Amino acid sequence: MFTEELVREHTYVPRIVEEAEGEKRSMTLPSADPPGEAGRAMTHSDFGYLSSQAAAVTPRVNDEPLVSDLVPQALSWSSLNGLVIGDKNHKRSGTVPGIGLVHAPFSLLPSPFPRQAFSQAIELAPLFNLLADRVSQDAEFLQQTLARTRKADHFIARLLDIHLQMLDEGMKQKIRLGLHRSDYMLDTATGELLQVEINTIASSFPALGSLVASLHRHLIDWCGDGLGLEAENVPQNGAVDAFAQAFALAWKEYGDNRAVVLMVVCPEERNMYDQYWLALKLFQSYGIKMIRKSFTQVLAEGTLGDNNTLFIGKQVVSVVYYRAGYSPDDYPSESEWDARLLLERSAAVKCPNISYHLAGAKKIQQELAKPGVVERFFENKEDITKVRSCFAGLWGLDDENSAAIIEEAIRNPEGFVLKPQREGGGNNIYGADVSKKLVELRDTDGGVGLAAYILMQRIFPPVHPAYLVHDGIWSCEETVSELGIFSAYIRNGNKEVLNTEAGYLLRTKSSQTNEGGVAAGYAVLDSVHLI
C-alpha cells in the first residue's frame, strides 16, 4: 500500500525547473543552439531556421525505402507497448477492453520545436495552475463573467446552477486537485508563443502522449545515424507518471487507506487505453486502485455517508477524476445531471470540482485577457507579464463595445476563430463560416446568442513536412503542430502540496485542417525534437 517511501521513489521530477533550497534552479535541456534568445519572441529569420530544421528532421520524400522500413517498426512497437485506441470499425471497441485494437494515429518522427519556446511553456505551467485555482475561488467573478453566457448556453447555465447550489449549501472543497493542459501554437505573424486555451477538465492523452516520445526515441536509436537525429533532443515525457503521482498525493491528503479513486467515463470510449494506463500506473506505483464508472452507474451505485463520504457500492471514494462531463452530450437526461450533483456534494476530492470546471470556460479565458483582470489574481508584476506574454487576441461578443470587432470579423473572417463554450474538438468555426455565423447570431433574437461565443485571433504556426500514420498507412503532408503542457496542482486549505508542470502533448495535423483534436480524428500524436 501507499507509503512515504513509495512517494519518494516514484516522485515525478519536473524536467525544466525544480525547487532547491528555496530557490529556483534551471535544469539543463539537451544542448543545442536554439533560434532566438531566451525571453524574446521568435523572429521571421528564426522561423526560416525552424523550416530548414524541419526538412532535416523529416527524411526526403523520395526516400521511400527508409520510410517503408520505419513504419512497420513503429506499428509493431505501438502494438507491443500499448500505443493503441479502439478501432471505430469494431462495434465493441469502445465498451470491451482488448476488443478491436488499432494503433493510435501518430507522426512517424518527432516534429521540430524551438527549445526557447518549449522552455517558456514549461515555465508558465505553475503560473496557470495558480491562476486557475484563484479564479475558481472567486465565485463572484465566475458568476458575473458568465452571466450573459448563461442566457445563451444551456450547458453553461446548468454548470452555473450547480456552482450556485454548492455555494448556497455551504459546500467547501478543502482539497483541490487540478490536472490541466495549456495549449500553445507558435505564431509566424508575431513571432510569439501564443496560448490557444487552457483545459481544466478531462485533459486527455497523458499516457499515449508519453508513449509517442518513447516511440520516437526508439526509432531514432534503431536507425542509428540514418535519420541524422539525436534521441536526447526528444525530451522524456513523464506525463502518465506525473498524473499518477498527483492522484496518489490527493489520495494521501484525503486520508483514508480504504479509499479508491473513481474515474468518471463515457459509456462508450475508444480512447479507454489512455485511461487504463493511468489506472495501471497508479496501482503499480502506489498500490491505489482506480475504478471506472459512467454517470448512469454513479447514480445507480453511489451514496453519501456520514460527512458526505462518497461510496460506490461499499467502496469509499477519495478522488473523483472526470474523463467525461465536459460536453452536453455527456448529459442526455436528468439522470446524468443528478449524478454530477451527487459527486459535487460529496467530500471526495474532485478533479475538477465545479468551480475549476467553470474556470476553464472560453469566456473566462477571454475575460482574463482584458486589461487589469489578471491583476485581480496576481500581484507580482513579473508573473503578470509572463502570463500576459502568451495571450492571443481575444474578444467578447456580448457587450456595448463588441460591434466593431464583430464587423471586422465579418469583413475579414480568415483572421479569426469563432469559439463556443465547448471542449473536445470539432466545435470551432473558421474562414467564411465565421462571417455567416456572426451575421446569423447578430440578426437573431436581438443578438442574444452572441454571448455563447468568443472571438480569438487566428494563429498561423510554421508549416513543416511530416509523415502521418493512420490505420497502418503513411502519408507525407505539410503540417502544423500544437503544444500542450500538462500541469498538476494540489492545495489542502492554505497548504500548497504540489504545483508543477507534468509532461507535454504535441498534436500535429495537416496544414489544410482547421480543427486539431486527436480523439475527434483531426490530428495525430507527436513529440518534440528540440532545436
Side-chain angles (χ1 to χ4, degrees), residues 35 42 46-59 107-118 184-186 193 216 220 229-230 233-235 461-468 477-483 504 506-508 526-531:
M42 299 273 288
D46 292 333
F47 284 119
Y49 176 83
L50 180 63
S51 297
S52 67
Q53 289 296 303
V57 168
T58 307
S107 174
L108 185 61
L109 295 171
S111 291
F113 202 88
R115 191 178 308 270
Q116 172 262 329
F118 187 79
Y184 303 92
M185 280 185 169
L186 291 166
L193 182 77
H216 286 159
I220 293 170
L229 303 177
E230 297 291 337
N233 287 328
V234 179
V463 176
H464 61 275
Y467 290 104
L468 309 184
E477 301 186 32
E478 293 298 307
T479 64
V480 295
S481 296
E482 181 175 339
L483 175 68
Y504 72 93
L506 194 73
R507 290 167 293 175
T508 295
D526 200 353
S527 68
V528 299
H529 185 270
L530 296 177
I531 59 174

Side-chain angles (χ1 to χ4, degrees), residues 327-387:
S327 166
D329 295 338
D330 296 332
Y331 304 86
S333 72
E334 283 301 307
S335 295
E336 287 77 18
W337 286 110
D338 290 343
R340 179 68 186 266
L341 185 59
L342 172 73
L343 296 174
E344 202 64 37
R345 279 177 164 156
S346 78
V349 181
K350 271 77 71 177
C351 181
N353 65 16
I354 191 65
S355 59
Y356 262 50
H357 187 169
L358 290 169
K362 304 293 191 297
K363 180 62 183 177
I364 298 296
Q365 180 187 5
Q366 176 262 312
E367 187 71 14
L368 288 168
K370 288 182 176 179
V373 180
V374 171
E375 289 79 356
R376 176 170 178 155
F377 303 100
F378 283 140
E379 295 181 356
N380 184 286
K381 291 183 178 179
E382 183 179 353
D383 290 344
I384 292 169
T385 299
K386 288 178 180 178
V387 167

Side-chain angles (χ1 to χ4, degrees), residues 133-149:
D133 184 60
R134 292 171 184 178
V135 168
S136 76
Q137 297 177 68
D138 195 332
E140 181 183 19
F141 177 78
L142 289 173
Q143 289 286 335
Q144 288 184 354
T145 300
L146 294 168
R148 291 180 178 175
T149 305

Side-chain angles (χ1 to χ4, degrees), residues 166 169-176 344 346-347 350 353:
M166 294 304 97
E169 294 179 6
M171 288 293 297
K172 294 183 179 180
Q173 182 72 64
K174 183 180 178 183
I175 305 172
R176 301 290 186 102
E344 202 64 37
S346 78
K350 271 77 71 177
N353 65 16

Side-chain angles (χ1 to χ4, degrees), residues 223-406:
C223 284
D225 296 331
L227 296 176
L229 303 177
E230 297 291 337
E232 65 179 12
N233 287 328
V234 179
Q236 295 280 9
N237 190 349
V240 66
D241 297 299
F243 271 50
Q245 182 201 5
F247 290 133
L249 289 174
W251 179 93
K252 179 174 179 288
E253 291 296 318
Y254 185 86
D256 190 331
N257 290 336
R258 304 170 299 164
V260 298
V261 174
L262 167 66
M263 183 189 295
V264 181
V265 298
C266 296
E268 185 171 350
E269 177 60 82
R270 290 179 56 239
N271 192 29
M272 69 171 75
Y273 303 101
D274 185 63
Q275 301 168 359
Y276 275 113
W277 266 115
L278 292 174
L280 181 63
K281 285 286 184 180
L282 181 61
F283 184 73
Q284 286 181 338
S285 298
Y286 304 102
I288 301 169
K289 291 184 179 179
M290 178 181 282
I291 62 173
R292 298 164 55 88
K293 300 290 179 181
S294 67
F295 278 127
T296 300
Q297 292 170 317
V298 166
L299 189 63
E301 303 173 32
T303 57
L304 298 184
D306 295 340
N307 300 314
N308 287 344
T309 299
L310 176 63
F311 288 87
I312 297 295
K314 295 182 179 181
Q315 295 177 298
V316 177
V317 175
S318 59
V319 178
V320 175
Y321 171 49
Y322 290 101
R323 286 294 290 260
Y326 56 85
S327 166
D329 295 338
D330 296 332
Y331 304 86
S333 72
E334 283 301 307
S335 295
E336 287 77 18
W337 286 110
D338 290 343
R340 179 68 186 266
L341 185 59
L342 172 73
L343 296 174
E344 202 64 37
R345 279 177 164 156
S346 78
V349 181
K350 271 77 71 177
C351 181
N353 65 16
I354 191 65
S355 59
Y356 262 50
H357 187 169
L358 290 169
K362 304 293 191 297
K363 180 62 183 177
I364 298 296
Q365 180 187 5
Q366 176 262 312
E367 187 71 14
L368 288 168
K370 288 182 176 179
V373 180
V374 171
E375 289 79 356
R376 176 170 178 155
F377 303 100
F378 283 140
E379 295 181 356
N380 184 286
K381 291 183 178 179
E382 183 179 353
D383 290 344
I384 292 169
T385 299
K386 288 178 180 178
V387 167
R388 286 198 169 280
S389 70
C390 71
F391 284 170
L394 292 160
W395 299 271
L397 305 176
D398 56 349
D399 60 42
E400 62 277 4
N401 300 316
S402 300
I405 194 63
I406 291 172

